Amino acid sequence: MLSRGALLALFYVSGIAGLIYQVLWLRRLSLIFGVTVYAASTVLAAFMAGLAIGSALAGRVLKRGYSPLAAFGIAEVLVGVTGLVSPLLLDAASFLYAAVHHASPDSFGLLTVARLVSSFAILAVPTAMMGITLPLLSAAVSAPGRSNGTSIGLLYATNTLGAMTGTLLSGLMLIPAIGIQRSFLLAAILNVAVGSLALWMARGEQRQSSTPQSPIDPQSAIRNPHSTALAVVVAVSGFASLGLEIAWFRLMLQFVIATTAAFTAMLATVLGGIAIGGGIAAWLLRVPRDRVATLGIVQARAGVASAGSMSFLLWTVEQGWKTMGLKQTVLIAILPPAICMGIGLPLALGVAGRRRDGDREEDVARRVGSLYSLNVAGAIAGSLTAGFVLLPR
């Protein structure tokens, strides 16, 4: 087995670079599209679409004979290269969008399509490579006859913790200190370094491919009687999570001034809560229990926490408590439900990632990637529905 600590360290740095990119892309695209909930929803949807495509491709990549760690290294290098080129594409998008806006300044539908197409064209390759990484590393830590859920939960939590770190670094330190262009360069260097280390580790990896394996049952991916339920749960929870994130950002503007620091604090709180939840999920997956029933309980608590936390914040304001500050607001209203939501996905991935008799690495990657892509697809729908339908109505 590969050193789990080394893989967690690589995935942590990968998470840092990924969110540096996301903050930079949102910052640059907001200058092109404007700072509106419609523009933010469209950019997030394009970003998530790339993640969904990448996660769904993981199993097919491993079928071509790559080791999971080598494929992860290649993906990280590609993220760095395409991320470094993205500022040039952003400049081109600015020119094209300005032309569309000049031709049809009052056409909401046309402008929305222009935002979505141009955002996806810029972000498709780097975000697809980001999306493929979790299923690949899930396959890398899998072993026959072992429950791999704890490792998958730790991977998810560590990557999200890196994402929180990247959010804070980019929003509070990097952009003010070194500017947007050098921040892009730093993120690219981190990705290439992670990819190069992963490829180096893959060369020395003691693979078991020469060991005879039991025949593969083509139905192994659907043996789990709860597979349909898990698919529905992760899709709907993804919808709710991103819908809530859009709603939170709109609601927080009633309590704090809309600044880069406020956006960074809200996003970091969401990611921090999800990282804590991922750690809790890793512990839950280690303890013998009915994991599907636990997943149902966690999802119900996420719903209660989402409504209860915001209601509690409003009640404290009515009572005259000093809770109108940025820190108090995000900790009361966002952190508790974010923790609950952070437990759900890695718990479901842990159930799907259990390596059964006859499974190969690509089977684990396919199941984890399929669930992850469903979660992201739900998140895309949640972002667009909240931004374009629910909030206006």
Side-chain angles (χ1 to χ4, degrees), residues 133-391:
T133 55
L134 177 61
L136 290 177
L137 287 190
S138 297
V141 300
S142 67
R146 291 184 54 182
S147 175
N148 308 299
T150 298
S151 296
I152 294 173
L154 286 175
L155 284 171
Y156 182 81
T158 302
N159 187 250
T160 307
L161 185 62
M164 184 188 73
T165 306
T167 301
L168 294 173
L169 280 174
S170 56
L172 303 180
M173 295 177 61
L174 293 180
I175 294 175
I178 64 175
I180 290 179
Q181 293 299 114
R182 290 180 180 176
S183 296
F184 270 115
L185 177 60
L186 175 61
I189 291 172
L190 291 177
N191 281 127
V192 172
V194 167
S196 300
L197 284 171
L199 289 170
W200 177 76
M201 290 171 61
R203 290 184 62 185
E205 180 183 353
Q206 296 298 319
R207 294 185 45 76
Q208 303 299 322
S209 57
S210 59
T211 303
Q213 300 191 42
S214 56
I216 301 302
D217 179 358
Q219 299 299 315
S220 63
I222 58 173
R223 279 179 184 166
N224 190 332
H226 303 295
S227 58
T228 301
L230 287 176
V232 173
V233 166
V234 298
V236 175
S237 64
F239 180 96
S241 298
L242 257 289
L244 276 169
E245 193 169 325
I246 296 293
W248 278 332
F249 291 159
R250 172 65 70 85
L251 283 166
M252 290 299 100
L253 298 181
Q254 309 301 318
F255 298 89
V256 300
I257 299 173
T259 62
T260 300
F263 174 80
T264 301
M266 287 184 275
L267 184 56
T269 303
V270 172
L271 294 171
I274 292 174
I276 293 170
I280 295 172
W283 175 78
L284 291 173
L285 288 163
R286 187 180 299 148
V287 180
R289 64 178 70 235
D290 185 341
R291 292 167 180 171
V292 178
T294 303
L295 179 62
I297 294 169
V298 166
Q299 295 293 345
R301 288 180 176 174
V304 172
S306 298
S309 297
M310 183 58 69
S311 298
F312 179 69
L313 174 63
L314 296 173
W315 181 81
T316 61
V317 173
E318 290 177 352
Q319 300 302 311
W321 295 11
K322 295 181 180 180
T323 52
M324 291 288 284
L326 179 59
K327 292 181 181 179
Q328 303 94 308
T329 299
V330 297
L331 289 176
I332 293 173
I334 296 179
L335 185 60
I339 292 174
C340 292
M341 290 189 297
I343 300 173
L345 180 58
L347 198 59
L349 295 179
V351 174
R354 182 179 179 85
R355 190 163 175 180
R356 300 185 286 273
D357 292 340
D359 275 358
R360 289 182 177 175
E361 291 168 331
E362 55 260 37
D363 296 314
V364 175
R366 184 176 64 250
R367 289 196 299 269
V368 171
S370 295
L371 276 188
Y372 188 55
S373 63
L374 282 172
N375 181 261
V376 176
I380 295 169
S383 173
L384 294 175
T385 302
F388 290 90
V389 180
L390 299 179
L391 285 174

Side-chain angles (χ1 to χ4, degrees), residues 4-15:
R4 189 167 71 176
L7 291 182
L8 292 175
L10 289 178
F11 214 28
Y12 173 75
V13 178
S14 173

